[in-house]
């Protein structure tokens, strides 16, 4: 049984060969790469919203070199220690599936039997995710209209993706865990020093969200060395700065052949309250 439900009638979907089908007879083709479209009926999927092809390739190339491995390791540790033997897990806004596949594998390595799904609004980036060798299933879907049933999740992960609080509240069962990854104050500080005359640290917030209680904030810090222009540009393309850096800044970066920079993340660990 899939974690996904029919976006039209909300009934559970069952996978049969290269389609998902609900009992009402609605069916959704699975692309040869292994993902499907589960957007609500009023949302077209021709406009290709979300990250584009070049961005997807840059992220994939950068992450595959292990630069953010410390974050993946921390997420795997939290996922394993906060779930039972057969957890239902969603990576919302999963991108090219680096964390989805890694966490799924970690849960399996721990002897668990996860049902794991990843969703993203960009088909280009999700196509890369679905090509990964993983037991996770992938669907093109909006984080604001997720094709999953109420209280169906034991664990939900949001790694640098939009915070769709209403949907996350709906999907997590009471006691379920929400891992929300955000950049810390000095994340990529040395990169920003090259891009901007006056770089600003990221704002760090501790926001109590309705329906959730704080369990912990886990810091993940490190230093990475990028030995080539390609790696530097791939990292740059993954950041929001790519779209808003003045020309002189991007030129300074383009001339760099190596870059040593801090990476710093905070994993906010929330528990879904039981009294609702
Ligand atoms: Zn249906």
């Amino acid at each position: 049984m899939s974690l996904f439900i029919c976006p039209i009638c909300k009934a559970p979907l069952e996978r049969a060969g290269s389609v998902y089908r609900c009992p009402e007879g609605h069916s959704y083709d699975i692309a040869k790469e292994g993902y499907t479209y589960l957007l609500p009926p009023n949302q077209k999927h021709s406009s290709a919203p979300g990250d584009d092809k070049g961005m997807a390739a840059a992220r994939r190339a950068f992450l595959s070199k292990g630069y953010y491995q410390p974050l993946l390791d921390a997420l795997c540790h939290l996922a394993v220690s906060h779930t039972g033997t057969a957890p239902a897990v969603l990576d919302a806004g999963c991108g090219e599936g680096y964390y989805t596949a890694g966490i799924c594998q970690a849960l399996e390595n721990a002897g668990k039997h996860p049902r794991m799904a990843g969703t993203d609004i960009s088909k280009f980036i999700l196509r890369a995710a679905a090509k990964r060798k993983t037991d996770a299933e992938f669907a093109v879907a909006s984080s604001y209209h997720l094709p999953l049933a109420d209280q169906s999740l034991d664990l939900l992960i949001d790694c640098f993706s939009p915070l769709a609080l209403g949907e996350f509240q709906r999907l997590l069962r009471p006691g379920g865990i929400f891992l929300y990854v955000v950049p810390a104050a000095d994340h990529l500080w040395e990169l920003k020093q090259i891009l901007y005359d006056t770089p600003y640290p990221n704002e760090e917030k501790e926001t109590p969200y309705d329906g959730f209680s704080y369990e912990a904030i886990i810091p993940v810090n490190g230093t990475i060395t990028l030995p080539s222009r390609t790696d530097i540009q791939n990292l740059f393309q993954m950041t929001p700065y790519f779209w808003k850096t003045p020309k002189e800044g991007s030129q300074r970066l383009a001339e760099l052949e190596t870059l040593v920079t801090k990476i710093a993340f905070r994993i906010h660990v929330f528990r879904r309250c039981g009294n609702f």
Side-chain angles (χ1 to χ4, degrees), residues 48-53 56 95 120-127 140-141:
D51 295 355
D52 71 6
K53 257 183 189 162
D120 202 280
I121 195 65
S122 163
K123 76 166 177 186
F124 294 116
I125 206 161
L126 201 71
R127 191 177 286 161
V140 176

Side-chain angles (χ1 to χ4, degrees), residues 5-13 21-28:
I5 60 170
C6 174
I8 296 173
C9 69
K10 315 288 182 204
L13 288 177
R21 243 185 260 286
C22 80
E24 295 293 311
H26 303 124
S27 69
Y28 304 89

Side-chain angles (χ1 to χ4, degrees), residues 164 192 198:
K192 284 159 83 173
T198 316

